[in-house]
């Protein structure tokens, strides 16, 4: 029997397409199920009230606020350090042992499991620096966790600015720093921003790093300072799903929906920024 | 008056020798054309003059380059590059407006006064024969200009910082004949005020605009002479062969 190459190709394409389609299914299902089960819980009171009756009623406002604090803290810490490190690595570092060591450290930092960050944060910030279980400790821990993400995204953004722009700027007598400040960075900002927002999303969704460093099991009020403990959405979800009996399914899925919406909307913002700047890009 | 004096210049990139034992003087207010096949070291030589080669970590040089009697290695890099401008092979506008492209270098050297900037931008665009074409659209992105206009914008940008020398690195390689003619016209005019070193792949261009012409081959300076003489009676057989288009 003759083999028909076109049919073979069609079959191969079908399999490739099916495999690709399979990626959409879990995402779609997660979103649909969570919206379906969680949407009935969402109302103004749920979003703005404190948890009541041992978290079986009321809202999740302190957890939302806690997550916002933690994420902001993580970014305040990680963005400047990550950006400066990325500038150094892309523009100034020579290819020597130290640089290779730093790059290796970044790769490994990205590969550390998040629960290990939690333990590290507990040992360093909570115990050694005596910050206690606090927003400060949690933010720093999350910040360290997203550092590699921000460094890598920033480096890619900086290195994607054409080399010729740097040559032109230097050839006009601008200094290296002026070149970085006026030519490289303005054109790298979209990439840096995208990486930062993805880091935000990651920080907002992680439970393990905040488990030992900040998260309060039940704290039906807003944190008073950065040395205060706080509730946070992912941990709150864990608590009401496994640690507290008889929580209405609606409340659990409602919490999940809020968390999901928060993280997905950050990703969406990143996509929009990238898209807008790519359209504006002129080279 | 001599602008550049180059003694025994040797350049390597890693272990690859790019320029060998070059001795040459470049006079003030002349156009020195540098011709030669690709990989003959012309661009490397050019980029030695404004120390742009030093961006490459594998770059090494021996010998001495003197600019107005000062060893360039002892000079302040920013000051040196302000005095020795460069126009690159491809039109490379910065991702800024037309105005800001020309004002960029001036700003980087500390000029903040808006009037002074405006005056310098207009002057520079005028000298590059571009003012009339862009005066009503200075705020537009420089990428909206045509290739030839972009290259003249790059010339204006170089002029705006007030250089004494302009290095042209095959400035017309990406341009059509009409744009090329405009750039050449600008160069001939600029010679009155600036020293020009022009690296070109186009032998005819060297003949048209160069006062003197230097011929590079395999990293060596084969011959340098008045352009007329070089093109009518070259001393070296290899020069003759290249000019006649036997290789290259």
């Amino acid at each position: 029997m003759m083999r028909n190459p076109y049919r073979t190709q069609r079959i191969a394409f079908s399999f490739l397409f099916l495999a690709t389609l399979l990626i959409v299914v879990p995402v779609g299902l997660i979103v649909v199920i969570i919206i379906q089960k969680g949407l009935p819980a969402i109302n103004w009171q749920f979003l703005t009230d404190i948890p009541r009756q041992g978290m079986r009623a009321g809202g999740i406002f302190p957890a939302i606020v806690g997550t916002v604090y933690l994420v902001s803290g993580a970014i305040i810490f990680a963005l400047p350090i990550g950006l400066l490190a990325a500038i150094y690595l892309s523009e100034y570092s020579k290819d020597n042992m130290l640089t290779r060591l730093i790059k290796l450290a970044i790769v490994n930092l990205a590969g550390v499991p998040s629960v290990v960050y939690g333990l590290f944060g507990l040992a360093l910030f909570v115990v050694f620096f005596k910050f206690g279980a606090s927003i400060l400790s949690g933010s720093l821990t999350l910040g360290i966790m997203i550092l590699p993400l921000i460094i890598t995204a920033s480096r890619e953004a900086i290195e994607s600015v054409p080399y010729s722009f740097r040559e032109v700027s230097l050839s006009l007598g601008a200094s290296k720093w002026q070149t970085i400040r006026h030519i490289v960075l303005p054109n790298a900002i979209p990439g840096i921003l995208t990486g930062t927002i993805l880091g935000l999303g990651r920080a907002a969704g992680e439970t393990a790093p905040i488990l030992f460093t900040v998260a309060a099991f039940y704290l039906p009020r807003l944190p008073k300072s950065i040395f205060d403990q706080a509730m946070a959405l992912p941990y709150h979800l864990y608590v009401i799903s496994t640690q507290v009996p008889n929580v209405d399914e609606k409340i659990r899925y409602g919490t999940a929906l809020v968390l999901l919406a928060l993280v997905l909307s950050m990703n969406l913002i990143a996509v929009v920024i990238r898209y807008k700047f790519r359209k504006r890009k002129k080279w | 008056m001599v602008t550049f004096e180059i003694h025994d210049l040797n350049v390597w990139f890693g272990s690859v020798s790019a320029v060998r034992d070059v001795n040459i003087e470049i006079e003030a207010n002349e156009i020195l054309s540098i011709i030669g096949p690709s990989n003959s070291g012309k661009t490397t030589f050019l980029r030695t003059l404004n120390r742009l080669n030093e961006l490459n970590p594998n770059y090494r040089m021996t010998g001495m380059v003197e600019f107005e009697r000062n060893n360039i290695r002892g000079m302040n890099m920013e000051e040196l590059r302000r005095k020795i401008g460069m126009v690159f092979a491809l039109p490379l506008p910065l991702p800024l407006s037309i105005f800001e492209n020309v004002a960029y270098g001036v700003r980087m050297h500390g000029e903040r006064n808006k009037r002074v900037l405006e005056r310098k931008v207009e002057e520079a665009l005028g000298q590059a024969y571009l003012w009339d074409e862009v005066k009503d659209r200075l705020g537009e992105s420089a990428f909206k200009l045509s290739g030839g206009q972009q290259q003249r914008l790059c010339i204006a940008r170089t002029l705006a910082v007030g250089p004494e020398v302009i290095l042209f690195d095959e400035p017309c390689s990406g341009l059509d004949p009409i744009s090329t003619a405009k750039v050449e016209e600008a160069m001939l005019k600029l010679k009155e005020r600036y020293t020009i070193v022009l690296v070109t792949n186009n032998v005819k261009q060297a003949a048209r605009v160069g006062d003197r012409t230097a011929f590079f081959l395999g990293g060596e300076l084969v011959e340098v002479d008045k352009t007329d003489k070089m093109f009518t009676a070259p001393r070296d057989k290899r020069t003759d062969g290249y000019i006649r288009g036997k290789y290259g």
Side-chain angles (χ1 to χ4, degrees), chain A residues 121-134 137 212-214:
Chain A
L122 174 68
L124 188 70
F125 302 122
V126 178
V127 177
F128 184 77
F129 285 128
K130 298 194 173 66
F131 295 153
S134 62
S137 301
F212 321 120
T213 54
V214 50

Side-chain angles (χ1 to χ4, degrees), chain A residues 163-176 178-179 182-183 187 282-283, chain B residues 47 52 55 78 81-82 84 86 88 92-95 104 108-109 141 143 157-158 161:
Chain A
Y163 191 73
S164 52
F165 289 172
R166 295 173 173 81
E167 282 196 345
V168 165
S169 172
L170 293 170
S171 80
L172 289 166
S175 69
K176 185 155 187 170
Q178 285 178 321
T179 302
H182 295 280
I183 297 297
N187 290 293
K282 306 170 205 100
W283 65 84
Chain B
R47 290 163 69 100
L52 212 55
L55 297 179
E78 285 81 36
R81 289 184 182 148
R82 189 185 67 72
I84 307 174
M86 184 167 215
F88 295 84
L92 287 170
L94 295 167
Y104 179 78
M108 292 306 111
H109 292 287
S141 161
F143 291 94
R157 181 176 66 193
T158 306
V161 295

Side-chain angles (χ1 to χ4, degrees), chain A residues 206-222:
Chain A
E206 282 285 347
T207 316
I210 56 173
L211 195 57
F212 321 120
T213 54
V214 50
F217 187 83
Y218 179 54
L219 190 71
R221 58 173 175 81
L222 296 184

Side-chain angles (χ1 to χ4, degrees), chain A residues 67 70 113-123 126 132-135 137-142 145 203-218 229-240 242-243:
Chain A
T67 287
L70 285 173
S114 58
V115 68
V116 178
Y117 281 108
L119 207 60
F120 167 77
L122 174 68
V126 178
S134 62
I135 293 178
S137 301
S139 296
L140 291 172
T141 309
L142 286 172
M145 184 187 75
E206 282 285 347
T207 316
I210 56 173
L211 195 57
F212 321 120
T213 54
V214 50
F217 187 83
Y218 179 54
Q229 274 193 295
M231 297 182 83
L233 280 172
Y235 183 62
H236 182 63
L237 182 59
Y238 163 74
V239 166
I240 58 176
T242 61
Q243 307 297 301

